[in-house]
Amino acid sequence: MDTKKGFLLIADISGFTDFIKIHDMRSKPIIGKSIAAFWAGHAEQLIKDLIETIITVFEPVMILNKIEGDAAFFYLEEENSKEQASQIIDCMQLAQKKFREKLSALQYVQACPCDPCQQSKDLRLKIVVHRGEFKISQIREFIELAGQDVIFVHRLLKNSIRSDEYWLFSENFKNLLEPEFVSSLELHKEKVESFGLQKLSVLVFNSEAMSSRGSKVLSKFPNLLKMLWYYK
């Protein structure tokens, strides 16, 4: 396998783990499994639609390697690094916008009383991106990426950032960005498992307003019909 240089990016829906764990009813007697199946069906549909929104934005520029539960993992082989980095930032900005719009458009699911639907408004998008090296192998129809940088970008998700919505950049990627954009980032030092202390850059967002809209609008009959149609 030849070593490639390029970009690695993970777009992760924050809150998905709690979204599932909090609602794990399977251990409860009698009706627990039935309720769990009902909740899980709604959770999976919501996450599927949000992941699809993210993929649609990134795929014209990057290649989707795989879906990893609540996250999408993309890569791009390097050709014109500065131009490609700029294109990736454009995709990230659009993905953030489209994710919020999709989440807002799905507010009608809150007409359903199940926990995943009630808490769907609190889901957020975080993105980590790195420029490094990786090897590509194909096993039947599956493409696998391997290498230390692949491990590194995944471990960037395990960080101490106190937010569910942010962009986190490695130093290698940040060095390709325009000074004006870099000036909007904050320095973040993180001890990454097996990689030691890393100098990173972060841009933190705040979407609290999205989760604070009144419930009266959501309880109207049209939203109930939309919700029933959505999960039909």
Side-chain angles (χ1 to χ4, degrees):
M1 294 185 291
D2 293 334
T3 299
K4 308 288 186 180
K5 290 184 178 181
F7 303 92
L8 301 165
L9 181 148
I10 303 173
D12 179 76
I13 298 178
S14 302
F16 180 77
T17 302
D18 292 337
F19 195 55
I20 297 300
K21 285 184 177 177
I22 291 173
H23 317 303
D24 189 2
M25 296 284 292
R26 291 178 177 83
S27 61
K28 295 189 179 294
I30 306 175
I31 63 170
K33 289 184 179 180
S34 297
I35 293 175
F38 178 75
W39 285 359
H42 284 198
E44 288 167 7
Q45 179 65 38
L46 288 165
I47 296 299
K48 174 180 173 292
D49 277 4
L50 291 168
I51 287 284
E52 184 62 43
T53 298
I54 296 166
I55 293 171
T56 300
V57 172
F58 278 102
E59 269 197 325
V61 172
M62 305 191 77
I63 299 170
L64 175 67
N65 178 234
K66 62 177 67 173
I67 303 296
E68 300 175 330
D70 55 339
F73 179 34
F74 300 89
Y75 71 98
L76 176 64
E77 291 185 39
E78 187 173 310
E79 293 177 357
N80 185 331
S81 58
K82 279 188 171 291
E83 182 179 338
Q84 288 173 309
S86 178
Q87 291 174 339
I88 290 170
I89 292 295
D90 289 343
C91 287
M92 291 168 67
Q93 291 172 337
L94 185 58
Q96 202 78 25
K97 178 177 180 288
K98 293 296 184 181
F99 181 87
R100 290 174 176 176
E101 289 176 352
K102 186 65 174 180
L103 205 57
S104 180
L106 287 171
Q107 283 198 356
Y108 58 76
V109 302
Q110 293 173 63
C112 172
C114 83
D115 279 7
C117 288
Q118 289 300 304
Q119 296 196 25
S120 62
K121 63 185 180 296
D122 297 322
L123 295 175
R124 295 292 180 267
L125 179 63
K126 57 188 176 186
I127 301 174
V128 298
V129 59
H130 174 52
R131 178 196 184 200
E133 296 182 345
F134 49 87
K135 294 182 179 180
I136 301 175
S137 63
Q138 183 164 356
I139 304 174
R140 294 193 176 184
E141 70 271 26
F142 302 105
I143 299 295
E144 289 294 328
L145 267 61
Q148 289 297 305
D149 287 305
V150 174
I151 297 170
F152 176 73
V153 75
H154 281 83
R155 291 194 177 163
L156 288 182
L157 287 169
K158 298 179 180 180
N159 57 63
S160 58
I161 298 171
R162 302 182 70 176
S163 173
D164 290 326
E165 189 175 31
Y166 60 81
W167 297 349
L168 185 61
F169 305 94
S170 71
E171 188 76 354
N172 284 352
F173 184 84
K174 186 211 73 173
N175 289 338
L176 295 173
L177 303 177
E178 295 296 328
E180 184 178 356
F181 181 80
V182 172
S183 67
S184 67
L185 307 179
E186 295 180 14
L187 174 64
H188 179 78
K189 293 183 179 180
E190 187 77 39
K191 189 173 182 180
V192 181
E193 183 184 351
S194 300
F195 294 92
L197 187 64
Q198 296 290 321
K199 184 180 177 182
L200 308 169
S201 297
V202 65
L203 182 61
V204 177
F205 298 89
N206 184 350
S207 294
E208 292 180 3
M210 187 178 294
S211 63
S212 61
R213 298 179 182 180
S215 59
K216 291 183 179 180
V217 174
L218 298 173
S219 63
K220 288 183 178 180
F221 187 64
N223 286 300
L224 177 62
L225 293 179
K226 287 180 182 178
M227 180 273 295
L228 292 173
W229 179 259
Y230 180 67
Y231 290 124
K232 73 179 190 329

